[in-house]
Amino acid sequence: MDLLFLIGMVYAISRTIRGIMGGSRKGANGRRRSGQKSTANATQGRTARDPVCGMFVSTEVSHRLVENGQVVHFCSKNCMESYEKQKARA
Ligand SMILES: [Zn+2]
């Protein structure tokens, strides 16, 4: 589980960097400065981090996938499918 999470993180970060370089300013100010140290706890709030693209999505409108008893949130069905493909390969 930890390794999979790490892979997801690296993938999300590289996606985010590519997004910034691509000129997309959307989400540039989306980071919170509440001193939250663990990103793993993000899923407990009203927003959750999409492990595929790194976007924060509202848990009310997210696409959900239950994995090992944990709910994983995605911004879109597309990201959810990418995640499942990634998981199948790992
Ligand atoms: Zn996404």
Side-chain angles (χ1 to χ4, degrees):
M1 260 326 276
D2 284 344
L3 183 67
L4 190 67
F5 180 72
L6 206 70
I7 291 166
M9 283 276 285
V10 171
Y11 189 66
I13 289 164
S14 68
R15 278 270 209 125
T16 304
I17 290 166
R18 226 174 293 161
I20 292 164
M21 303 229 316
S24 169
R25 296 202 151 230
K26 198 170 144 192
N29 296 320
R31 283 183 196 187
R32 299 194 173 192
R33 295 194 176 193
S34 55
Q36 193 177 33
K37 282 200 174 179
S38 173
T39 52
N41 288 333
T43 48
Q44 287 170 1
R46 286 205 306 260
T47 55
R49 194 162 160 280
D50 180 329
V52 176
C53 68
M55 233 176 90
F56 280 94
V57 292
S58 166
T59 54
E60 284 167 31
V61 297
S62 65
H63 292 252
R64 277 160 250 181
L65 183 77
V66 179
E67 188 182 58
N68 299 327
Q70 279 192 308
V71 184
V72 188
H73 297 271
F74 301 93
C75 70
S76 66
K77 200 181 170 202
N78 196 31
C79 279
M80 193 168 82
E81 283 169 359
S82 301
Y83 184 80
E84 285 183 305
K85 266 184 229 162
Q86 204 179 312
K87 196 174 65 175
R89 241 187 289 160

